[in-house]
Amino acid sequence: MTKSSPSSRVFAIITAAGSGQRCPGNRRKQLMPLQDKPLFLWCLEAFSQVERLAGMVLVGPADDHRALEEMKTTAATFANVIAVVPGGDSRQASIFKGLAALKTAAEADDLILIHDGVRPLITPKLINRIIDSHQPGIVIVPVTRAAETVKFLADDHTVSHTIPRQQIGLAQTPQGIPFSLLWDIYQANNKEIWSRATDDAGLVEVVRPDTAIRWIEGDRDNIKITFPTDLALAEALLAAEKPGDEMIQTIITTGFGYDVHRLVPERKLVLGGVDIPFSRGLAGHSDADVAIHALVDAILGAVAAGDIGQHFPDSDPRWHNVSSLEFLAYADKLAADRLFQLLAIDLTIVAQEPKLAPFLPRMRQAINNTLITPCQLNIKATTTEGLGFTGTGEGIAAYAVVTARQRPQR
Ligand code: MG
């Protein structure tokens, strides 16, 4: 078998001209939204992702000028849409209009993919498999297998016999047919012949019975939207894909921070971004806000970005006496830049004196005002019953734990 000649190109005709009589309501089904997008747009998006596609023609309704204009506006955003044309009064008449629009662009050997615009879940993967299977002069039909036992029904309401289901293929679209073959079939414009088949491979069987028609495995999700329940099924199929993606791509992380500063005379005491009246203050290069330093380290820990000393070295004069809330704003922005969202902060300040409880609401306000997005924030103050360096008042310590979520990267 010879592969298609390198010069043969691939075009698509997407039919979205049907009246949708089996779906209730006044919307045509090809314009009905699936997750806020009309069905035909899903098809345009899938086909436009196929690199080997030279161009596509969209066939819209002939008797609904507004719908056709809506399609033209949407299709104009796709570089490889050659034309949007009004269809005819039958599926075949619509495909004939689409072929006529391709007549100047396509040549005899080119492969034409004909797709029902009401199969929105078509994937570039299946389209590419059809193109890969293309050989000169043959027709490619994607099929799914019958899951149920198949009965041949006789006219008198009896079952004639059971058809072996391994020999049953349920035809899908797109079907791949050489342009010359399609044009020969359709240009005769013979409605009697058109009425003898419900798909394009079927027409080839009728008109050119000696043509090889090959089947390939279709895609079970590539369903045809015929009834309202089909739309609900398509929504469910799309929803079923999403949680899996989220599970794989969402990462929850935790960061821990710890800091200690010495209490010295003639320094202002700043804790949690709030000035606190006290006889002494914390020694340090910046304002020495030990609580914010612990929190910054916890944020940097949650996003795996080192520690506060790496980002704000003591040796840098820029940070002399600066408010530590600037460090917090920096760490929060760094987390956001790395697509992290802070979910919860738990901060504990350990000090024998002064009594911090009255200042906790203002600390919470100062921190949440600094963060890009406020998150769950808990601040606790405790003593150590006079034990250790915090108990004797030599210094103040702080512990912080931060939980963060890395948003999915698409
Ligand atoms: Mg520090």
Side-chain angles (χ1 to χ4, degrees):
M1 295 262 191
T2 49
K3 274 269 164 195
S4 58
S5 64
S7 62
S8 104
R9 292 168 304 163
V10 184
F11 293 93
I13 295 174
I14 296 168
T15 60
S19 59
Q21 285 152 347
R22 278 176 286 187
C23 270
N26 50 15
R27 286 237 88 179
R28 289 164 180 276
K29 61 184 176 180
Q30 62 274 30
L31 290 172
M32 286 196 309
L34 170 63
Q35 288 190 351
D36 299 329
K37 273 191 291 189
L39 300 185
F40 78 89
L41 179 52
W42 286 86
C43 301
L44 286 183
E45 286 181 351
F47 276 87
S48 69
Q49 287 173 49
V50 176
E51 280 181 14
R52 287 176 285 178
L53 196 75
M56 51 185 165
V57 169
L58 180 65
V59 186
D63 57 352
D64 187 340
H65 182 72
R66 253 186 68 192
L68 191 67
E69 289 306 308
E70 197 180 314
M71 284 183 175
K72 281 182 179 172
T73 305
T74 304
T77 60
F78 292 85
N80 54 359
V81 172
I82 294 170
V84 179
V85 295
D89 55 6
S90 67
R91 180 179 184 279
Q92 285 83 349
S94 292
I95 290 169
F96 182 41
K97 295 276 186 79
L99 278 172
L102 268 183
K103 187 77 177 81
T104 52
E107 289 173 31
D109 288 344
D110 290 344
L111 177 69
I112 312 299
L113 302 173
I114 299 188
H115 184 63
D116 291 333
V118 288
R119 291 186 187 269
L121 302 188
I122 178 66
T123 60
K125 195 174 163 189
L126 177 56
I127 299 167
N128 277 314
R129 282 204 288 115
I130 292 163
I131 297 172
D132 288 340
S133 308
H134 172 53
Q135 289 165 356
I138 72 160
V139 172
I140 304 292
V141 182
V143 301
T144 55
R145 310 307 188 90
E148 289 90 350
T149 300
V150 184
K151 304 293 184 190
F152 190 95
L153 307 180
D155 288 342
D156 62 355
H157 228 270
T158 58
V159 168
S160 157
H161 59 280
T162 297
I163 303 168
R165 79 174 162 208
Q166 60 273 23
Q167 291 179 344
I168 296 293
L170 307 171
Q172 298 190 324
T173 70
Q175 298 181 354
I177 305 177
F179 182 76
S180 54
L181 182 55
L182 266 179
W183 185 251
D184 284 354
I185 291 170
Y186 277 97
Q187 72 168 348
N189 199 1
N190 187 328
K191 287 189 179 169
E192 191 278 317
I193 288 176
W194 285 357
S195 69
R196 284 198 252 159
T198 50
D199 71 347
D200 301 285
L203 264 181
V204 173
E205 287 170 49
V206 170
V207 180
R208 293 279 192 88
D210 54 339
T211 305
I213 301 174
R214 310 195 123 224
W215 61 268
I216 65 165
E217 289 291 343
D219 178 356
R220 283 205 170 274
D221 288 359
N222 182 25
I223 58 169
K224 184 175 181 180
I225 307 294
T226 306
F227 304 103
T229 47
D230 298 329
L231 204 56
L233 176 59
E235 296 271 4
L237 287 168
L238 286 169
E241 284 170 13
K242 275 198 173 161
D245 289 352
E246 296 274 320
M247 297 268 277
I248 293 162
Q249 295 178 22
T250 299
I251 302 164
I252 302 285
T253 60
T254 304
F256 174 73
Y258 172 65
D259 197 24
V260 172
H261 280 253
R262 186 183 293 274
L263 273 168
V264 293
E266 290 167 21
R267 279 276 291 184
K268 191 168 71 172
L269 178 62
V270 184
L271 286 172
V274 175
D275 289 358
I276 292 165
F278 190 52
S279 56
R280 294 178 295 162
L282 294 170
H285 187 60
S286 61
D287 65 0
D289 186 334
V290 68
I292 298 297
H293 291 188
L295 175 55
V296 167
D297 257 353
I299 293 171
L300 294 174
V303 306
D307 63 48
I308 192 169
Q310 289 168 9
H311 294 274
F312 305 100
D314 280 357
S315 54
D316 192 330
R318 271 186 300 168
W319 316 129
H320 182 63
N321 279 339
V322 78
S323 166
S324 295
L325 290 175
E326 284 190 30
F327 303 160
L328 177 62
Y330 169 92
D332 183 46
K333 166 114 183 10
L334 186 148
D337 288 346
R338 295 186 181 196
L339 298 179
F340 278 92
Q341 176 195 356
L342 304 188
L343 297 178
I345 293 170
D346 190 19
L347 180 59
T348 300
I349 305 169
V350 187
Q352 196 66 35
E353 283 186 308
K355 203 169 173 49
L356 296 177
F359 300 97
L360 299 185
R362 280 173 56 201
M363 290 184 198
R364 205 158 40 236
Q365 197 177 9
I367 291 170
N368 259 337
N369 284 347
T370 304
L371 299 175
I372 301 164
T373 312
C375 69
Q376 175 180 303
L377 172 58
N378 189 56
I379 308 177
K380 313 189 285 295
T382 187
T383 70
T384 52
E385 307 260 333
L387 299 170
F389 68 86
T390 54
T392 59
E394 285 172 85
I396 293 178
Y399 302 86
V401 176
V402 164
T403 309
R405 183 180 87 120
Q406 191 168 29
R407 289 195 303 275
Q409 297 173 39
R410 294 191 191 280

